[in-house]
């Protein structure tokens, strides 16, 4: 057996292998996104049965095999098992894991994405926070953390710092806000309210622990959904299965 390593991480996916085993994908602080083989995880008496599941946070001790890591020991800190019984919250959760998996890479420090997943899952368990708002917050903050933050401070075209709130637009093509002058003739530029712009600025800059401490009106939420969902769609090239399920439930 090779030397053991211990990583702090979260299980973002798990799939059965053979009759009793599993393959899990971990998002970790120390080694980025990695996969690990978990022997006997599907046996009823397995010490890994509850740990080899999505949304599990903890310390994972691994040894490196010929083709993948192998789980040797785990110390679970949070498992969020109650999320499984929540509808449609569980599918929002799976979508967030899918998005984290999409951006995750081996060898990178995924501390911020792990923290984002943690506070977001806790928000899903909070009945006072709307799932639709949680999705907007997670999507925009995830894009910001991964280097795809839209320009929200000044005009993305002329770099004008003081863009009047009553004459401000959002452009998917220019990846940010535009002043009224630059928005003229720009197909697809949509007017954005001061409240929606303020919310987006807060989402990309607030401390993780404060991300889900605000609310918006139904009108502003609808505005955020139109802008942020489209922004994510334009800047990713994958169809997310959990998102498709959520869309089907809305029909």
């Amino acid at each position: 057996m090779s030397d053991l390593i211990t990583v702090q991480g979260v299980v973002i996916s798990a799939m059965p292998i053979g009759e009793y085993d599993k393959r899990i994908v971990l998002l970790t602080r120390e080694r980025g996104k990695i996969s690990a083989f978990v022997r006997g995880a599907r046996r009823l008496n397995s010490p890994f049965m509850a740990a080899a599941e999505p949304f599990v946070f903890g310390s994972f001790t691994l040894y490196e095999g010929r083709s993948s890591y192998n789980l040797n020991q785990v110390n679970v800190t949070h498992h969020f098992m109650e999320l499984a019984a929540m509808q449609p919250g569980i599918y929002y959760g799976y979508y967030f894991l899918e998005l984290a998996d999409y951006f995750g890479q081996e060898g990178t420090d995924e501390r911020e994405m792990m923290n984002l997943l943690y506070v977001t899952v806790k928000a899903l368990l909070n009945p006072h926070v709307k799932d639709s708002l949680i999705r907007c917050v997670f999507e925009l903050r995830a894009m910001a953390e991964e280097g795809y933050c839209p320009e929200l401070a000044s005009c993305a075209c002329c770099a004008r710092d003081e863009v009047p709130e009553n004459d401000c637009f959002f452009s998917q093509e220019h990846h940010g806000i535009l002043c009224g002058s630059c928005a003229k003739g720009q197909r697809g530029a949509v007017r954005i309210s001061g409240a929606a712009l303020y919310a987006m600025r807060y989402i990309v800059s607030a401390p993780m622990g404060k991300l889900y401490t605000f609310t918006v009106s139904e009108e502003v939420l609808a505005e955020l959904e139109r802008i942020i969902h489209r922004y994510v769609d334009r800047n990713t090239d994958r169809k997310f299965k959990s998102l498709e399920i959520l869309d089907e439930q809305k029909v």
Side-chain angles (χ1 to χ4, degrees):
M1 183 185 296
S2 60
D3 292 339
L4 296 175
I5 63 166
T6 299
V7 295
Q8 303 293 318
V10 53
V11 180
I12 56 175
S13 69
M15 64 177 294
I17 300 292
E19 189 173 358
Y20 296 111
D21 306 328
K22 274 189 176 182
R23 174 184 174 272
I24 62 174
V25 177
L26 294 168
L27 203 64
T28 74
R29 293 181 181 179
E30 297 82 359
R31 303 208 173 191
K33 187 177 76 171
I34 59 176
S35 61
F37 188 66
V38 189
R39 295 186 182 278
R42 299 166 67 199
R43 294 182 183 274
L44 292 178
N45 61 347
S46 171
F48 301 132
M49 187 174 185
E53 295 289 344
F55 306 108
V56 169
F57 289 75
S59 299
F60 299 82
T61 300
L62 315 164
Y63 66 92
E64 193 167 3
R66 293 180 179 179
S67 59
S68 70
Y69 293 96
N70 295 269
L71 185 62
N72 178 263
Q73 188 176 352
V74 60
N75 178 28
V76 175
T77 55
H78 298 89
H79 49 62
F80 297 112
M81 293 180 65
E82 60 269 42
L83 185 62
M86 300 180 66
Q87 297 286 344
I90 183 63
Y91 294 109
Y92 279 98
Y94 280 131
Y95 168 54
F96 302 150
L97 293 184
E98 281 192 83
L99 199 57
D101 178 77
Y102 174 83
F103 284 117
Q105 298 181 43
E106 187 171 1
T108 57
D109 184 344
E110 298 290 347
R111 184 190 312 263
E112 291 305 308
M113 183 60 79
M114 286 172 54
N115 291 339
L116 178 57
L117 283 170
Y118 177 76
V119 297
T120 301
V121 174
K122 288 190 68 176
L124 284 173
L125 298 175
N126 185 345
H128 302 295
V129 185
K130 290 186 176 181
D131 290 342
S132 52
L133 178 59
I134 294 172
R135 176 182 168 185
C136 288
V137 173
F138 181 86
E139 286 182 327
L140 184 56
R141 185 58 174 257
M143 298 301 286
E145 295 294 343
E146 296 299 328
Y148 295 93
C149 185
E151 175 55 65
L152 301 172
S154 58
C155 177
C157 193
C158 70
R160 178 182 176 184
D161 289 330
E162 297 297 330
V163 179
E165 290 186 358
N166 62 351
D167 196 27
C168 187
F169 297 77
F170 190 91
S171 169
Q172 300 287 345
E173 294 292 335
H174 289 276
H175 299 274
I177 61 171
L178 299 178
C179 64
S181 297
C182 292
K184 291 179 180 178
Q186 294 287 344
R187 187 171 60 182
V190 296
R191 190 176 294 277
I192 181 172
S193 68
L197 180 57
Y198 180 86
M200 291 177 70
R201 286 171 172 169
Y202 181 85
I203 291 167
V204 300
S205 62
M208 286 290 181
K210 299 291 186 180
L211 265 182
Y212 297 101
T213 58
F214 73 99
T215 59
V216 294
S217 68
E218 291 293 335
E219 292 77 14
V220 172
L221 178 57
E223 195 176 352
L224 292 175
E225 289 180 308
R226 287 193 297 270
I227 293 173
I228 297 173
H229 296 348
R230 189 180 177 200
Y231 188 76
V232 174
D233 183 65
R234 288 178 63 92
N235 288 281
T236 55
D237 58 3
R238 179 188 297 180
K239 296 297 182 182
F240 299 99
K241 294 180 180 179
S242 301
L243 192 55
E244 292 176 354
I245 295 174
L246 283 170
D247 290 339
E248 289 174 1
Q249 290 183 345
K250 294 179 181 178
V251 176

